[in-house]
Amino acid sequence: MFGYILCKEDGAQIRSLVTDVVQQTDKMIQSFNISMIGYNISCIQQLIDYIKTRVREHEEGPVRYVFKSEFFIDLVLSICERSNKMITDQHRLFREANDPVIYVEKKRQEYYSIFLKYCHGATSAVIFGEIICQKLKEPIEQSVYKKTARDLTDEVRSNCESLNGNRSNLEKHILKTLAEQEDFDKYMNYIQNPRDHFKSFIRDEVSRFITDQFSVSVLPKMKENIELLQQKIMKAAHESTQHVQVNRGDVGLWLKSFTQQISDELIFSEKDLTGIKHDDVDDFNLLEDLIRHELPAIMFDSSSRFNTNTFDEKLDQFRPDEILIDHLCQCCWVQCPFCKAVCTNTIENHDGDHSVAFHRVTGINGHLYNKTNLSINICTSAVASNGSFCPNDSDDKVLYRDYRRAGGVYAEWSISPDLSELPYWKWFVCRFQKDLEKHYNKTFEGSGEIPDEWKNYSKQDAIESLDKYL
Ligand SMILES: [Zn+2]
Ligand SMILES: [Zn+2]
């Protein structure tokens, strides 16, 4: 429609479309399984098709506007930019595992050392032991990364102040950090896309924790895990040798017993030795000795390659940040229709009303008085007053205390009258008054005039109020 100006509800609707498309495309990229099957140009095509369909379906719905093609292009570009790192990382893992050049390069040293042993006339037991050790190298690294990531997740969960509690505790830290940074754009990102903001906050916290703790905590943990693994492998080799000697078995029996014993720690099976001739191995003591002798060198070689960068790259599906995101973000994200505060229910799609202990000044969400000035109401005190609002920019006035009568999302919230207010958002409104006015192109004037006493709150008061109330 020509000349139609987007209203606030339209804006909210478009934002929620964008948030949902971003989330769904994230899931799609995960489901492409790029670290296993590699990147293919059709991945991007599928993403674009999906985005196109969503935008079209949105336009065909009950909306009074159409998107310009720039909207679609910007959306695609921003999603591709977002996904770039995830796709690149996963594809690198795939290449490392599958690219013949990288593979051969990696194997060169292994085969060379085996070849040397041949040249020196080693027995088949020695050669076979050497091959087993080389083949164990990668499963050992994988297992160590996986175990360390698990230990680290527990450690972050108990020692990282922002991540050691529930989502409300995390939100308190997010609000503190935002106040310390005093960055308006970051605030708006948090207010408008809380889930995204929480996720990136968790990623930053975990990455900082790992970097800070790498030499004092992560590295020792990896070394400890590698040592335990070494003991386990040696024990398996020793017991397999005894087992074969007691049962007068052959190398097949030895291998079966060996792989069985290490199977809960390592992804390693008899299949990994397919094509390697070993039926003439008969000196099991020698085989065991070789493993006892060679294994520490392999372990040392692996542990010498542990560093902050490779650690981050190798984690793949065991990433502590993703585990913590799953743990902390699977809850209700519905936002208060007045002030955008997020429902604190810990269950996604829960029964009953949405609710939150502390609502905000509604003007930070662009909420207006009489459609003209930004509002300084706080939901909990508004519902105790005689004031009214116009839902969805219509001309119908609804009393705040009867807000449920506005229907829709208003009817799904439980907002109880409460006059105890958090200084935090009052400080925020004073500190960013100009930015908010510019952002919404409206002012805090008339009935939206900011009370003088709000201006007395310092940043410190704002931060301290979070401790008192949350
Ligand atoms: Zn509210
Ligand atoms: Zn809820």
Side-chain angles (χ1 to χ4, degrees), residues 6 9 17 53 69 90 100 209 248 254 324 350 365 398 409 419 429:
L6 287 182
E9 301 302 315
L17 168 74
T53 314
S69 54
Q90 292 201 8
F209 187 88
R248 296 173 187 279
W254 188 94
L324 285 161
H350 58 88
N365 178 31
V398 175
V409 66
L419 298 174
V429 168

Side-chain angles (χ1 to χ4, degrees), residues 336 338-341 359-360 379:
C336 170
F338 298 112
C339 74
K340 287 268 173 174
H359 287 260
R360 308 167 183 168
C379 313

Side-chain angles (χ1 to χ4, degrees), residues 126-145:
V126 168
I127 308 261
F128 188 54
E130 177 77 27
I131 293 173
I132 290 179
C133 286
Q134 297 290 355
K135 294 269 179 197
L136 282 173
K137 217 176 194 171
E138 266 187 38
I140 286 171
E141 271 187 28
Q142 267 178 22
S143 162
V144 170
Y145 280 110

